[in-house]
Amino acid sequence: MMKMGTKVLNVRNTQTKQSLINAFLQLVSEKDFEKIRIADISQRAQVNRATFYAHFNDKYELLDYMLGDSASAAIVEYTSGTVKFNQESIKQLVLGACYFYQQPKIKCRSSYIGLVVPQLKEKMLNELKIYLMKSLGNTQTEIEKTFYVPVFANMINEGALQWASGNVSMNQEEVARRVSLLIFGGYQPPS
């Protein structure tokens, strides 16, 4: 049973974290990430620096917290939490990755984008590898999984990145279909 004081403290911590996140988001639209100081974030959030450090070690940890488990949530949402290895699940993984990459539509300076995109990619690749490792289960040897999981994860991720960056004229459903065909050996070169 949670005491009333604990509940109030949890709400206050959540509100403080959100105000730090909001302050950070405002600042990245105004100045380069490297130039944002903890004092800037604290001042914008109207808290003292000690309060910032009670929640985060530095601005990189704040950024990592913001990205959170959104990659995992996108995969769970698009696969309905079902772990299978078939063409349909691969399509859903691609669609989940596409959704994940379109989320950070934050108006910000290029230094922030340069920092966030690699972190987003790393988070999505890790989550895809976890899903694929589970979905391959006992169907592959450990040696085969060690080979296939990163290859498939990178194919899914790259398909989503190509779509999200606008490098392809296909819609996300077509990208998902083509990636699943590549993974399942049904690639047909254009006639």
Side-chain angles (χ1 to χ4, degrees):
M1 182 174 210
M2 189 182 294
K3 295 180 181 179
M4 185 59 148
T6 305
K7 187 175 182 179
V8 170
L9 185 59
N10 288 342
V11 169
R12 192 174 303 139
N13 278 336
T14 302
Q15 290 172 342
T16 302
K17 273 188 176 177
Q18 191 57 53
S19 68
L20 290 167
I21 290 167
N22 292 343
F24 177 75
L25 289 173
Q26 290 170 6
L27 288 164
V28 295
S29 69
E30 298 168 9
K31 55 173 39 174
D32 288 336
F33 178 83
E34 297 81 23
K35 293 182 181 176
I36 296 173
R37 300 173 303 134
I38 302 305
D40 298 330
I41 299 168
S42 301
Q43 183 179 20
R44 184 70 60 97
Q46 299 180 344
V47 299
N48 61 43
R49 285 177 55 147
T51 301
F52 176 91
Y53 288 115
H55 294 280
F56 304 105
N57 290 324
D58 54 28
K59 64 186 178 182
Y60 298 96
E61 187 177 318
L62 169 58
L63 176 61
D64 193 54
Y65 177 81
M66 286 173 44
L67 299 176
D69 63 351
S70 56
S72 176
I75 287 173
V76 168
E77 181 177 336
Y78 277 81
T79 61
S80 303
T82 305
V83 179
K84 291 182 181 174
F85 186 74
N86 58 30
Q87 278 191 276
E88 186 56 34
S89 66
I90 296 300
K91 287 179 194 174
Q92 294 307 314
L93 289 173
V94 174
L95 293 172
C98 288
Y99 173 78
F100 174 72
Y101 285 120
Q102 69 185 5
Q103 290 308 297
K105 291 184 177 176
I106 302 164
K107 183 178 165 189
C108 55
R109 300 174 69 86
S110 60
S111 67
Y112 175 75
I113 294 294
L115 182 70
V116 171
V117 170
Q119 280 191 304
L120 288 172
K121 185 176 179 180
E122 180 183 335
K123 286 194 175 295
M124 180 49 71
L125 277 171
N126 286 337
E127 291 302 321
L128 288 168
K129 288 175 185 175
I130 290 167
Y131 180 95
L132 291 166
M133 189 64 82
K134 288 178 188 173
S135 70
L136 287 170
N138 296 327
T139 64
Q140 306 288 321
T141 67
E142 287 303 313
I143 293 170
E144 289 172 323
K145 282 196 272 190
T146 302
F147 174 75
Y148 288 125
V149 165
V151 170
F152 293 162
N154 276 288
M155 289 172 73
I156 293 165
N157 191 61
E158 189 59 33
L161 281 171
Q162 290 296 314
W163 173 80
S165 64
N167 290 342
V168 295
S169 59
M170 296 174 261
N171 63 31
Q172 59 189 8
E173 287 79 14
E174 181 62 15
V175 169
R177 186 184 75 74
R178 289 186 183 208
V179 169
S180 71
L181 285 174
L182 282 171
I183 289 174
F184 282 92
Y187 173 71
Q188 299 290 321
S191 315

